[in-house]
Amino acid sequence: MSHSLYVSRLTLTSFRNHAALDLQLDGRPVCLFGPNGAGKTNILEALTMLAPGRGLRTASLTEVARAGDEFRVQPWAVSARIMHDGEETIVGAGAERTPEGGVKRVARRDGQPATAAELAEAARMTWLTPAMDRLWSGPAGDRRKFFDRLTLARASEHGHSAAAYERAMRERQRLLSERVFDDSWLGGLEREMSAHGAAIAAARVETLHRLQSAIDTRPDGAFPKALLELEGLLEARFENGAASADVEEDFAELLREVRGRDAGAGRALDGPHRSDLLARHAAKDMPADQCSTGEQKALLVGLTLAQARALAGDPGAGPSLILIDEAAAHLDGIRRAALFDELLSNAGQAWLTGTDENLFEAFGDRAQRFEVKDGKVTPT
Ligand SMILES: Nc1ncnc2c1ncn2[C@@H]1O[C@H](COP(=O)(O)OP(=O)(O)OP(=O)(O)O)[C@@H](O)[C@H]1O
Ligand SMILES: [Mg+2]
């Protein structure tokens, strides 16, 4: 399949160790290789600054600004020319100085100020990093964040629901900790929590179904299939076919009943902010966290490929870029070659990093390669 979504030019200005980078690209996978500390991950991170959120390192606006010149309060920018079915869009993200001496985030699409959702629409992307190698055995919060990002890629309003839910939850907790048991005030916040909470859970359940069906219909291959499950109070209700209005009402009622408990605990103990994503290695019928390091990675790769397939087949979404930092890590030669084949058949461009050029040998001339060294990038 030809690549219908790709970055044809990427420019970085004062981003981490890249003073000024200007990459001209075609639609083939982009392989970045070079020694440790060269700036490979920084390039992937720069791309992810175009997605909602704070990029693959969850960095602040100021820490990604290139250090060295003076203090870190300096502007930085990432700009990408995106080709999608022959149509060109230019998206950019960065930080600008404010008159007060602070920094603010800026985002543009075709020269106009844009929202995070508008940027995301132009270049959907999924990424995998070595930090996610421990996703299955690490804390639930990381899996929740991972899954919410998958959801955000197909339902941009998910970010709004999550922010609104958090706001109401924080405000309720503030009242509870100050022992302000004002029924109508708390009730109002709890109704907000339940409305946004139900929207969050419903969107997650929808994502799970789409993802699972993309996994189930993927041909058997080097990447094991996962059986996914969302563990959460509201998600379980939706899985059991409950109507949204009932889920909302019951959750509001529950929150009302547990005010005393949550006041004592210092946080809300129930709700979609506590949900978890569970996965099993389907063929081995084994929980993901009990699989080997390489198997856990392969499960995650399978999930990422399925996500790209689910998005591509979703009329409300479309093809997506796949970014894999240290693509070869934990994968044997056969799996690596299988990964490359799968990436070549994805409708969105792949971006990969590795320390050695020969890790990408199996691509032959089906990929473009760049050597990264001290923040300088040269095509090979
Ligand atoms: N804000 C910043 N300003 C300048 N340099 C930075 C900034 N943040 C990080 N760096 C530097 O960028 C360099 C490259 O980092 P990066 O993570 O991209 O390396 P890499 O090529 O992926 O290496 P590895 O193979 O070890 O993963 C690091 O040496 C780091 O110190
Ligand atoms: Mg790196």
Side-chain angles (χ1 to χ4, degrees):
M1 195 191 295
S2 72
H3 292 270
S4 70
L5 175 77
Y6 67 96
V7 179
S8 63
R9 184 177 183 186
L10 178 71
T11 62
L12 270 52
T13 312
S14 292
F15 187 87
R16 298 245 188 223
N17 70 332
H18 297 279
L21 173 66
D22 190 349
L23 282 182
Q24 305 278 346
L25 304 150
D26 58 46
R28 291 175 297 164
V30 180
C31 304
L32 306 167
F33 68 92
N36 296 139
K40 306 178 297 292
T41 303
N42 290 347
I43 296 175
L44 298 194
E45 183 187 28
L47 260 178
T48 63
M49 300 311 272
L50 301 168
R54 292 156 56 191
L56 63 70
R57 286 195 179 102
T58 341
S60 72
L61 275 189
T62 46
E63 76 183 278
V64 299
R66 185 160 177 266
D69 304 342
E70 21 170 332
F71 48 102
R72 288 253 177 109
V73 187
Q74 67 170 357
W76 56 268
V78 177
S79 166
R81 185 169 64 205
I82 311 284
M83 300 300 297
H84 186 185
D85 289 336
E87 297 264 346
E88 181 183 299
T89 308
I90 295 179
V91 287
E96 273 177 7
R97 226 172 294 201
T98 63
E100 300 78 39
V103 278
K104 69 168 199 283
R105 175 179 281 274
V106 287
R108 280 195 190 88
R109 184 171 167 167
D110 292 326
Q112 301 298 317
T115 62
E118 284 163 342
L119 281 200
E121 218 175 79
R124 273 171 235 282
M125 60 181 93
T126 325
W127 60 84
L128 274 183
T129 69
M132 289 151 72
D133 287 351
R134 296 188 51 78
L135 188 79
W136 303 119
S137 50
D142 288 353
R143 283 185 294 277
R144 195 166 54 240
K145 238 181 6 208
F146 169 76
F147 195 74
D148 278 336
R149 223 172 38 235
L150 299 187
T151 303
L152 201 52
R154 52 155 280 273
S156 62
E157 69 284 359
H158 191 62
H160 165 78
S161 311
Y165 176 84
E166 288 282 335
R167 240 187 342 263
M169 178 168 70
R170 265 202 308 275
E171 182 65 3
R172 170 178 178 270
Q173 207 55 43
R174 191 183 62 80
L175 295 183
L176 292 178
S177 70
E178 290 169 5
R179 308 274 147 181
V180 183
F181 291 104
D182 178 322
D183 188 53
S184 74
W185 196 351
L186 282 167
L189 292 167
E190 287 161 356
R191 275 192 300 282
E192 274 198 47
M193 278 177 73
S194 54
H196 296 300
I200 291 168
R204 284 180 185 155
V205 168
E206 176 66 23
T207 300
L208 188 96
H209 288 164
R210 288 170 187 260
L211 201 53
Q212 190 68 61
S213 100
I215 291 171
D216 295 345
T217 53
R218 252 165 49 82
D220 279 312
F223 299 101
K225 294 182 175 181
L227 277 173
L228 303 175
E229 191 193 333
L230 281 166
E231 194 179 63
L233 193 69
L234 306 189
E235 288 86 347
R237 294 290 308 281
F238 283 113
E239 284 288 4
N240 291 328
S244 195
D246 294 336
V247 175
E248 270 183 49
E249 197 181 312
D250 295 349
F251 185 38
E253 171 105 28
L254 170 80
L255 288 169
R256 190 169 192 281
E257 281 165 16
V258 298
R259 284 174 190 169
R261 184 200 66 184
D262 287 354
R267 63 202 175 114
L269 295 178
D270 291 306
H273 62 290
R274 305 291 309 267
S275 303
D276 195 0
L277 170 71
L278 306 183
R280 290 182 82 79
H281 187 299
K284 300 183 74 166
D285 194 28
M286 179 77 75
D289 62 343
Q290 287 174 35
C291 291
S292 78
T293 314
E295 285 169 343
Q296 293 193 31
K297 171 87 175 217
L299 273 170
L300 211 47
V301 170
L303 206 61
T304 303
L305 296 169
Q307 160 80 352
R309 256 174 69 109
L311 288 177
D314 181 343
S320 50
L321 308 174
I322 298 181
L323 281 46
I324 308 185
D325 194 21
E326 288 174 40
H330 306 305
L331 295 181
D332 55 41
I334 291 173
R335 286 208 170 75
R336 209 181 308 150
L339 172 62
F340 295 168
D341 285 340
E342 295 246 22
L343 292 174
L344 285 164
S345 70
N346 180 45
Q349 189 180 43
W351 286 69
L352 309 171
T353 73
T355 45
D356 282 303
E357 184 170 19
N358 58 27
L359 292 170
F360 303 112
E361 214 169 78
F363 270 128
D365 62 1
R366 298 173 301 171
Q368 49 202 319
R369 293 169 178 73
F370 296 88
E371 182 172 19
V372 187
K373 227 180 193 170
D374 292 333
K376 301 261 179 310
V377 184
T378 359
T380 61

